[in-house]
Amino acid sequence: MSFLFGGGRAQPSSAEKIAAAETELDVVSDMYNRLTASCAKKCIPNDYREGDLNKGESVCLDRCVAKFFEVNIKVSEKMQGEAAQKQQGQGGFGGFGM
């Protein structure tokens, strides 16, 4: 009955888990840096007039972040779909795609 609880497949080692976590952190950090750079460039003028964001800047940033995540999700879904199709295409005939 161990196959019911994941006993049939190899568990990742601690080093593999750490490497996966580091990779995920790099991806999230890169996305955050691109998001802040892109939205700040679009929404916040170079000559600061106030210490706080005004209403227009706040609305612009809110919309920019929402669009950024919407596009990011769509791209991720598209890439996952293509990867699944590619994997299915290689499933038959020994993985040679014939």
Side-chain angles (χ1 to χ4, degrees):
M1 287 207 133
S2 65
F3 66 91
L4 295 175
F5 301 105
R9 63 181 168 208
Q11 297 295 321
S13 68
S14 292
E16 291 171 332
K17 289 179 184 178
I18 291 171
E22 288 175 343
T23 301
E24 186 173 350
L25 181 62
D26 289 344
V27 169
V28 170
S29 296
D30 179 58
M31 184 178 70
Y32 174 78
N33 290 333
R34 287 185 293 121
L35 167 73
T36 55
S38 176
C39 291
K41 183 178 177 182
K42 290 178 184 177
C43 299
I44 301 174
N46 290 334
D47 57 331
Y48 297 106
R49 296 186 181 101
E50 301 173 14
D52 296 331
L53 296 173
N54 63 36
K55 184 170 178 121
E57 293 166 343
S58 294
V59 169
C60 179
L61 285 169
D62 187 47
R63 289 179 180 164
C64 182
V65 169
K67 288 178 183 178
F68 188 93
F69 280 115
E70 183 179 337
V71 169
N72 193 339
I73 288 169
K74 287 182 180 182
V75 169
S76 295
E77 288 172 352
K78 178 78 172 166
M79 289 176 69
Q80 287 175 354
E82 289 180 4
Q85 286 178 348
K86 194 174 189 179
Q87 194 173 26
Q88 286 176 350
Q90 293 177 354
F93 302 107
F96 292 108
M98 300 177 110

